[in-house]
Amino acid sequence: MPRLTRLLPLLGAVCLLPACSGEESAPKAAVNDVHPVQVYTVQRESLQRTINAVGTVRFRRETPLGFTTAGKVATVRFEEGDTVKRGALLAALDTTSVGADVSVATAERDRARSEFERVRSLYADGWITKARFESAEAALKAADARVRQAGFASGTAQLYAPSNGVVLARNVQPGQVIAAGTPALILGEGDSGFVFRVPIIDQDATKLRVGMAAEISIESVTSGPLQATISEIDGRANEATGAFTVQFSLPNNVKLRSGQIGTAAVKLPASETGALQIPASALFGVRTGEGLVYIVDANNRVETRNVAIERLTDQFVIVSGGLQPGDRIVTSGLEKLRPGSKVRTIQATR
């Protein structure tokens, strides 16, 4: 019995060994485990991007026409939307006032001329000084200038069409008194043709150049697109919207009207994109305008890299910073990786 008593603690310890080993947690994965992943080699792709923007048709020149002097409107011969021919009389002022100004200026010039002839005769005989002669000469020149001024005002008391075109706006009525320079009519000059104007955000506008080809779709004009080219890009953005107005030259078409709405499509050359394309599956930790990717180094270990996102397509992400051509990034198996993890490429993609 004493001997059995001494063996019991040893037997108990032996019996507990299997139980203890069974209660231990499973061993953790080794730090140097190799993870199978797919890898994509970053390259600068020949991407062709299309910029689409909604705009309106306009006459190339939409000219405000006004009188050079204040006065009472005598007649307005056309309504908005009327077609006019070059040289047609559009509107006229009552010439009572400007006619009187011409008469006064002419009478003053005649008086100044008579005075000058008298003074010149006296100066030739030595009866007056040279200063008196020069004063009379200056008065005559001033009187001549006032006649020309009054004649110009009289001549511009009528508005004539500078081009074939369409009256886009009529701002005055007969009997109305208007100030000098007030636009009485706005004429769309048909001889200059039509343009298509669209507002484009600064990021896209910087990629456009005068002379680039575009397709303009206007449903009310034709079922297919019109071929156009960029003719002008504003030098500064609109203060309210921050967009730049881009103007496209349109081909002649009898159905074109100022104010029609359409869509412009401009295809950018591949060289204009200047960005890198990566699969969307390579991106994680996405935030506004940025995200993370795993870069595979020369030792087949991964590290995280922050990239700037320019835009998204159906299958790819266009990045503008954080990567260089030749970088290898992980496109599958990301969920098992941590910075420093060792990987094995199972299928390389490009």
Side-chain angles (χ1 to χ4, degrees), residues 34-41 295-302 328-332 337 341-350:
V34 179
H35 302 277
V37 296
Q38 289 184 340
V39 174
Y40 176 90
T41 301
I295 301 288
V296 181
D297 62 19
N299 298 318
N300 286 331
R301 293 189 180 275
V302 297
R328 296 190 301 157
I329 60 175
V330 178
T331 59
S332 69
L337 301 181
S341 296
K342 192 172 183 61
V343 297
R344 173 173 58 85
T345 301
I346 59 173
Q347 180 182 355
T349 59
R350 175 179 175 270

Side-chain angles (χ1 to χ4, degrees), residues 48-319:
Q48 188 175 66
R49 179 187 170 198
T50 300
I51 295 176
N52 295 293
V54 177
T56 54
V57 176
R58 290 285 186 265
F59 284 97
R60 184 186 300 276
R61 291 189 178 91
E62 298 184 351
T63 308
L65 303 174
F67 301 101
T68 59
T69 58
K72 180 181 178 181
V73 178
T75 181
V76 182
R77 298 185 58 191
F78 294 94
E79 300 290 340
E80 291 185 7
D82 287 348
T83 300
V84 300
K85 297 293 185 180
R86 178 191 296 271
L89 177 63
L90 303 178
L93 291 178
D94 186 330
T95 58
T96 302
S97 177
V98 293
D101 290 341
V102 171
S103 298
V104 170
T106 301
E108 176 61 24
R109 182 188 60 184
D110 293 343
R111 187 202 65 78
R113 180 177 289 116
S114 297
E115 176 66 13
F116 174 72
E117 293 297 336
R118 186 181 69 84
V119 169
R120 183 170 61 178
S121 177
L122 292 174
Y123 177 69
D125 294 337
W127 291 101
I128 61 175
T129 63
K130 184 177 180 181
R132 177 72 180 84
F133 170 77
E134 291 175 345
S135 177
E137 185 179 36
L140 177 59
K141 291 180 178 178
D144 280 335
R146 283 192 289 272
V147 170
R148 292 194 297 271
Q149 183 181 37
F152 176 76
S154 177
T156 56
Q158 298 83 31
L159 292 181
Y160 295 94
S163 166
N164 298 322
V166 177
V167 177
L168 301 179
R170 169 177 164 162
N171 302 322
V172 295
Q173 301 298 331
Q176 180 179 345
V177 176
I178 64 172
T182 300
L185 299 166
I186 297 179
L187 181 68
E189 299 188 26
D191 293 347
S192 300
F194 287 90
V195 296
F196 190 75
R197 293 175 182 163
V198 299
I200 293 182
I201 60 173
D202 55 354
Q203 185 177 0
D204 288 339
T206 56
K207 298 178 175 65
L208 301 180
R209 301 290 183 273
V210 172
M212 280 186 174
E215 292 184 345
I216 311 298
S217 299
I218 307 171
E219 291 186 2
S220 58
V221 175
T222 177
S223 58
L226 298 172
Q227 301 303 313
T229 56
I230 297 177
S231 60
E232 185 179 319
I233 301 174
D234 275 2
R236 66 176 180 178
N238 183 287
E239 294 182 357
T241 64
F244 290 81
T245 298
V246 179
Q247 180 172 288
F248 301 83
S249 296
L250 292 175
N252 293 329
N253 191 302
V254 295
K255 293 184 179 181
L256 287 174
R257 299 289 186 274
S258 182
Q260 290 171 323
I261 298 175
T263 304
V266 184
K267 292 182 179 180
L268 297 178
S271 59
E272 291 289 337
T273 60
L276 299 173
Q277 173 180 288
I278 65 173
S281 60
L283 207 62
F284 67 97
V286 178
R287 294 177 291 180
T288 303
E290 60 181 1
L292 297 173
V293 297
Y294 278 121
I295 301 288
V296 181
D297 62 19
N299 298 318
N300 286 331
R301 293 189 180 275
V302 297
E303 62 179 18
T304 56
R305 180 81 60 81
N306 187 277
V307 297
I309 301 173
E310 180 177 310
R311 60 189 176 89
L312 304 176
T313 65
D314 293 339
Q315 297 178 335
F316 293 92
V317 178
I318 309 304
V319 298

